[in-house]
Amino acid sequence: MKIGFAGRFEFVASGGARGEVKLAEMNNNITNAGLDRIGVGSIADWCRVGSGNRPANDGDTVLVTQTAETNSTLTWTTFYEPGPPPRSAVRRTYRFAKGVAAGTHSEVGIGWKETIAGQTVNGLWSRALIKDENGDPLSITVLSDEVLDVIYTLYMYLDLTDDVKQFVYKGVNRKATTRFGDVRQHGFMYSIMTMGLPTGTSSGWSQCWFGGATSVLGDVYTPPTMRPGGNNTTVYGKSMAIYVNGSRERECTWTIPDTSYTSDSKIGVIVVTPHHSQGNYGGTLDVKTQFEPPLEKDYTEEFTYTGKISWGRYTPPAGP
């Protein structure tokens, strides 16, 4: 299942004699290092501004000339937009305290810090030249009596086409139709930014539930109907393959034990959550699969389900 990411920056200065001033707004460039980082951890703990003027490119790892940074967050919000194209988003406002970002800036980035061999290393999820409404490079000025808010919105676009595969189970040819489920959820976007993708290996997060032969898959906007239902409250063990740098994908496996089964001993539909919400931000990233004909599974059998999530930069579809 495929995910595309895009982002946008906005700059607002306030608190000084000028009052509140919107300084700029523009799209960003997500880096190669950022696309690798999201497979293993947080991507956006820090916001950085600088005075460099080299155009952004996929291989950026640092700002050209960093002038200030902050990890202070003023607000968080998550939301869903129906589009087209539909997308979920998280919006984070980073605040540079009064005087911290005083001066002139022409580049911006968000990223993380980590310690490698005893040294602190800065990473960049995204970098952009600050630009005007025409897309031309722009330098913004923050005065010494002003705070600077940098508002970053991370958008996630899901591939809503079905993934259909043929396979053999217990000697019978089957078809598996997999799609994202209930895509209007958005609370999990918070933890994508703070934890990476996918997550959820501890009790309470990594869910898997299933229904019997007459279950209905439902479209991408609705949860499936489980008939008859299986055990939909137990959190089953999920294992995640080690992320391979440059792959932009990660494999997850869920295990349903022999003690869990439906009343008709069939699996018609299964739902897994490769990514979970965190804190007060509800919602999960759901993936659901329908098996035709249904799979046989009784109280003597363990069942494993393996899926793969892949991601990259969002590319808008070509026009007519």
Side-chain angles (χ1 to χ4, degrees):
M1 303 303 289
K2 300 177 182 178
I3 296 172
F5 290 106
R8 189 168 180 84
F9 284 106
E10 182 179 348
F11 301 81
V12 177
S14 63
R18 294 192 295 177
E20 184 173 293
V21 183
K22 182 176 178 178
L23 302 174
E25 183 175 3
M26 74 287 173
N27 294 330
N28 74 174
N29 187 68
I30 296 172
T31 68
N32 292 335
L35 290 174
D36 281 331
R37 173 69 180 186
I38 202 171
V40 297
S42 63
I43 60 171
D45 301 326
W46 292 81
C47 179
R48 304 175 179 115
V49 291
S51 57
N53 55 18
R54 177 178 53 75
N57 65 72
D58 296 348
D60 284 335
T61 57
V62 294
L63 298 188
V64 174
T65 309
Q66 182 172 308
T67 52
E69 66 175 3
T70 183
N71 64 350
S72 175
T73 299
L74 182 64
T75 60
W76 287 90
T77 185
T78 66
F79 56 94
Y80 169 80
E81 294 178 342
R87 60 187 184 181
S88 298
V90 55
R91 180 167 292 150
R92 184 174 185 174
T93 300
Y94 301 87
R95 169 153 288 186
F96 292 82
K98 183 183 295 186
V100 171
T104 301
H105 312 288
S106 54
E107 61 177 334
V108 62
I110 60 169
W112 63 93
K113 284 182 185 287
E114 58 184 332
T115 301
I116 300 177
Q119 301 294 317
T120 299
V121 177
N122 293 338
L124 276 185
W125 161 256
S126 69
R127 176 180 174 265
L129 287 184
I130 300 173
K131 297 181 179 181
D132 62 19
E133 63 272 15
N134 297 317
D136 297 322
L138 173 71
S139 293
I140 61 172
T141 299
V142 180
L143 304 180
S144 60
D145 62 348
E146 293 177 326
V147 301
L148 173 65
D149 291 334
V150 179
I151 304 158
Y152 183 74
T153 306
L154 175 63
Y155 295 103
M156 184 185 74
Y157 300 82
L158 301 178
D159 183 350
L160 300 185
T161 58
D162 286 351
D163 180 71
V164 180
K165 288 184 169 57
Q166 307 290 331
F167 68 105
V168 176
Y169 179 80
K170 292 189 175 181
V172 177
N173 292 324
R174 321 269 179 161
K175 181 175 77 171
T177 301
T178 301
R179 63 179 62 137
F180 287 108
D182 202 4
V183 299
R184 286 171 289 197
Q185 298 186 82
H186 52 79
F188 62 86
M189 289 294 296
Y190 170 84
S191 53
I192 282 182
M193 185 176 273
T194 59
M195 301 177 71
L197 174 78
T199 61
T201 56
S202 60
S203 178
W205 296 125
S206 177
Q207 293 181 317
C208 168
W209 63 99
F210 56 97
T214 57
S215 297
V216 180
L217 188 63
D219 63 23
V220 296
Y221 300 103
T222 57
T225 302
M226 302 301 201
R227 298 195 300 240
N231 187 338
N232 63 357
T233 58
T234 299
V235 178
Y236 302 111
K238 180 180 78 172
S239 60
M240 295 190 292
I242 295 174
Y243 178 71
V244 177
N245 224 38
S247 66
R248 285 70 181 279
E249 64 179 25
R250 205 157 181 201
E251 190 176 86
C252 304
T253 297
W254 288 260
T255 299
I256 300 175
D258 54 3
T259 53
S260 292
Y261 50 92
T262 59
S263 58
D264 64 357
S265 297
K266 301 286 181 65
I267 298 179
V269 170
I270 188 170
V271 182
V272 295
T273 60
H275 193 88
H276 64 71
S277 59
Q278 183 186 27
N280 295 324
Y281 298 85
T284 53
L285 177 62
D286 295 344
V287 175
K288 56 187 180 180
T289 299
Q290 182 154 33
F291 300 107
E292 301 173 276
L295 309 182
E296 298 79 19
K297 182 209 174 304
D298 62 23
Y299 64 90
T300 68
E301 298 170 305
E302 183 179 88
F303 181 83
T304 60
Y305 175 99
T306 298
K308 186 179 292 183
I309 291 287
S310 62
W311 58 86
R313 300 175 186 88
Y314 172 68
T315 303

